[in-house]
Amino acid sequence: MKKYALISVSDKRGIVDFAKALLKFDYEILATGNTAKLLSQNLVPVKEVSDLTGFPEIFEGRVKTLHPKIFGGILFRRDNSEDKIQAEENSILPIDIVCVNLYPFVQTIKKENVSLDDVIENIDIGGPSLVRAAAKNYKFVSILTNPDQYENFISELERGSISAKTREQLAVAAFSYTSNYDTHIANYLEQRFEFEKSHIRINEKLNRKLRYGENPHQSAKVYGSFDDYFEVFHGKEISYNNILDLIAAAELCEELGDNACTLIKHNNAAGAAIGAYPLDAYLKALKCDPVSAFGGIVAFNNEVDEKTAEKLNEIFLEIICAPSFSDEALAILKKKKDRRLVRKLKKINEPGLSARSIPGGILVQDKDLVTFNKDNFQIVTNRKPTEKELEDLTFAWIVAKHTKSNAIVFAKDKATLGVGAGQMSRLDSAKIAYMKAKEHGLDLKNSVAASDAFFPFADGLLEIIKCGATAVIQPGGSVRDQEVIDAANQNNITMVFTGIRHFKH
């Protein structure tokens, strides 16, 4: 009995060599339009699907493989006598290999100003049906959906036959492939038609296995397109905790803007600053907490130059992240073999969802992308902020947004002086921030302070005033706001309400 392989691919990498290899094992090649044309041009004997079915491709290729002779050849059970009789009665030939990949829907929706018509035409119908049919009948049919599978598949054929285990693996990969494809379609159309999300669809490819998770006894993996955002090009393998801290550093740095530098330890800022140039920003950020910065992660928004690299090399840092590095800087930084160097490739503070697993499901929210708007804040005290205080308040507010609650951040000259993070009491956060500043010889006199949420009582504000702050920024919204405002007025400080809360749990 003749053996048939059906080939219909959008991604044509390696397909000619694959088809030629199949010929050596006496397979006859069936193919659709453009695939058949490419194979013929490369001297591969091929029979078009329409010649087998006796039915032409119609509607500009919208219908070409959806035919009983194709799906019958894939789906009939080779060990079922009734199936075999029906196949013979209907002139259905067995198709034992199906090689299909789908229209480039994902690539299409990434195009600028793409039309809805173009998007719709790149939704594959026959392809997913072929893939699913072949995967369903994996006991008898091999389904290939990725050019990366071709080499191993041919090698196994050369060793005698395709094992049941391989067909199982190919089937699972195939169902994963169509599932991912449908996820992208549903997510895109839901957004395009402005429908509320009815389901969370997460279908991401394994990116890399990590050595372990937060702790050595926890396994960990990265799924999705992490490498589209960060290029780890030097140093040890990046870890689970490294990735979390890297993202925290890059998010804060990005929001602070030009010539910003952030030093992150355990997802909180050990220091952050905006300088006249990267080295200036780094030195200002480092002053905040040079002890905690040891073993931390530093991020820049601008190129790291030679002088900055020399200074960075003075302490142990797990990761240095920047959009670019000068050649001179790289020559210096690469002397430390284990430290990771990372290029930030694209903006990360984009609209989207953040999710956490919970028992029985997923907890989902929009990403916190609301920023402080100078036009919408409210000055609630008799004393008004100076222009410099307002700049420092804006800076401190952004840092507080990216600091674990409860968060109190002292700042001056667009640099952090003390950070109190993740405490059960806002009062404790203020005390810790003061303690850290004092420990490193930083004076909080005439500083500003930011609180990520309102003060439930005046005691937290009074603690901040006692530390030396002359201006405070907070959301407001407490039933005791007036008590807090009165305390500010009595101490002749300025206070700004943003109307925005930035809890970070």
Side-chain angles (χ1 to χ4, degrees):
M1 182 180 286
K2 290 182 178 179
K3 299 187 296 184
Y4 289 91
L6 171 63
I7 302 177
S8 179
V9 291
S10 172
D11 181 354
K12 294 179 171 57
R13 288 179 297 133
I15 198 60
V16 172
D17 288 341
F18 180 69
K20 287 180 177 179
L22 291 178
L23 294 175
K24 297 176 185 177
F25 300 96
D26 300 324
Y27 281 96
E28 293 196 25
I29 308 296
L30 303 170
T32 54
N34 288 332
T35 303
K37 183 177 179 181
L38 175 66
L39 295 177
S40 292
Q41 289 171 345
N42 286 274
L43 306 178
V44 177
V46 60
K47 186 173 189 175
E48 289 213 34
V49 164
S50 56
D51 293 335
L52 176 70
T53 62
F55 200 92
E57 293 187 13
I58 58 174
F59 312 138
E60 296 180 325
R62 276 190 163 201
V63 177
K64 48 194 171 190
T65 58
L66 297 169
H67 193 281
K69 284 195 173 182
I70 298 300
F71 282 88
I74 295 170
L75 282 166
F76 88 82
R77 292 160 290 193
R78 277 53 161 175
D79 60 355
N80 184 297
S81 57
E82 190 61 32
D83 280 13
K84 288 196 285 188
I85 291 169
Q86 290 182 26
E88 190 172 342
E89 289 174 347
N90 291 281
S91 301
I92 290 173
L93 301 171
I95 299 172
D96 297 331
I97 297 174
V98 176
C99 181
V100 172
N101 52 62
L102 310 179
Y103 293 170
F105 178 84
V106 176
Q107 294 90 322
T108 300
I109 61 176
K110 288 180 179 178
K111 293 178 182 175
E112 220 173 303
N113 302 319
V114 64
S115 71
L116 183 58
D117 284 344
D118 283 343
V119 170
I120 296 301
E121 288 310 310
N122 276 279
I123 297 176
D124 205 328
I125 301 302
S129 300
L130 290 170
V131 171
R132 290 174 61 83
K136 177 174 179 174
N137 209 22
Y138 67 88
K139 286 183 179 180
F140 311 102
V141 180
S142 298
I143 170 64
L144 296 100
T145 53
N146 189 323
D148 294 340
Q149 297 168 331
Y150 300 165
E151 185 177 347
N152 287 340
F153 185 83
I154 294 300
S155 294
E156 192 163 331
L157 269 181
E158 288 172 346
R159 292 195 297 271
S161 63
I162 302 301
S163 69
K165 189 69 175 176
T166 294
R167 290 196 303 276
E168 290 167 1
Q169 290 172 339
L170 292 172
V172 170
F175 281 121
S176 178
Y177 179 54
T178 57
S179 172
N180 181 264
Y181 192 77
D182 286 339
T183 293
H184 283 290
I185 294 171
N187 285 344
Y188 176 83
L189 293 179
E190 199 169 53
Q191 183 179 26
R192 184 81 182 235
F193 298 147
E194 298 181 348
F195 294 141
E196 184 177 353
K197 267 196 172 297
S198 59
H199 293 78
I200 290 294
R201 308 175 193 92
I202 301 174
N203 196 323
E204 299 288 358
K205 186 179 179 181
L206 178 65
N207 178 282
R208 68 185 76 189
K209 293 181 179 179
L210 302 175
R211 284 181 299 161
Y212 52 81
E214 284 182 295
N215 301 290
H217 59 271
Q218 293 171 273
S219 63
K221 301 179 182 70
V222 179
Y223 290 87
S225 53
F226 175 78
D227 294 337
D228 289 350
Y229 294 85
F230 298 99
E231 178 194 2
V232 184
F233 66 93
H234 174 81
K236 288 193 304 185
E237 178 188 351
I238 198 166
S239 73
Y240 180 97
N241 291 333
N242 288 158
I243 290 171
L244 292 179
D245 285 340
L246 171 63
I247 293 166
E251 284 178 340
L252 172 55
C253 199
E254 187 175 286
E255 189 163 350
L256 287 175
D258 194 40
N259 281 322
C261 172
T262 55
L263 278 157
I264 296 295
K265 195 74 170 289
H266 300 303
N267 260 224
N268 288 308
I274 299 172
Y277 44 87
L279 178 57
D280 181 44
Y282 171 68
L283 293 175
K284 288 168 68 176
L286 186 62
K287 284 181 182 178
C288 179
D289 192 349
V291 174
S292 295
F294 185 87
I297 288 175
V298 61
F300 295 90
N301 279 338
N302 302 73
E303 182 170 274
V304 172
D305 59 18
E306 183 178 7
K307 288 184 178 180
T308 308
E310 288 173 348
K311 201 67 184 176
L312 289 166
N313 259 12
E314 291 180 4
I315 67 169
F316 168 61
L317 295 164
E318 288 276 6
I319 293 177
I320 298 170
C321 175
S324 60
F325 300 80
S326 72
D327 291 341
E328 296 80 6
L330 286 178
I332 294 166
L333 295 174
K334 284 185 175 181
K335 290 177 182 177
K336 297 199 174 183
K337 303 297 183 185
D338 289 339
R339 183 182 51 208
R340 297 99 172 157
L341 300 179
V342 177
R343 286 190 188 92
K344 180 169 172 276
L345 303 176
K346 60 196 289 190
K347 186 177 178 182
I348 59 176
N349 287 324
E350 297 283 12
L353 299 177
S354 65
R356 293 186 183 185
S357 61
I358 58 174
I362 300 171
L363 191 63
V364 176
Q365 65 175 350
D366 294 332
K367 290 174 70 175
D368 185 3
L369 299 179
V370 175
T371 56
F372 178 55
N373 187 336
K374 289 184 180 179
D375 298 326
N376 294 331
F377 69 86
Q378 182 184 7
I379 301 169
V380 295
T381 50
N382 298 329
R383 180 176 174 271
K384 311 304 179 191
T386 65
E387 190 59 37
K388 182 181 181 304
E389 283 177 329
L390 193 53
E391 287 180 355
D392 282 340
L393 286 169
T394 302
F395 170 86
W397 179 246
I398 293 171
V399 177
K401 171 187 173 182
H402 291 267
T403 303
K404 295 285 188 180
S405 298
N406 287 315
I408 297 292
V409 176
F410 287 94
K412 189 176 181 180
D413 299 327
K414 296 182 184 175
T416 52
L417 300 178
V419 178
Q423 299 305 303
M424 288 68 76
S425 159
R426 197 161 299 279
L427 186 62
D428 287 344
S429 289
K431 290 177 179 177
I432 289 172
Y434 173 73
M435 178 194 73
K436 299 290 280 186
K438 187 176 179 182
E439 178 185 342
H440 302 299
L442 300 176
D443 188 0
L444 297 186
K445 187 178 180 181
N446 297 322
S447 65
V448 307
S451 172
D452 64 336
F454 63 64
F455 294 97
F457 302 97
D459 57 353
L461 177 66
L462 292 171
E463 186 68 29
I464 285 172
I465 294 169
K466 189 169 72 175
C467 293
T470 58
V472 174
I473 187 168
Q474 60 134 319
S478 167
V479 293
R480 291 186 174 85
D481 272 351
Q482 192 57 53
E483 176 188 328
V484 177
I485 293 169
D486 290 343
N489 283 327
Q490 288 163 15
N491 288 274
N492 194 33
I493 74 157
T494 186
M495 188 155 61
V496 173
F497 279 8
T498 65
I500 303 165
R501 190 186 74 186
H502 285 305
F503 273 161
K504 187 180 180 187
H505 284 77

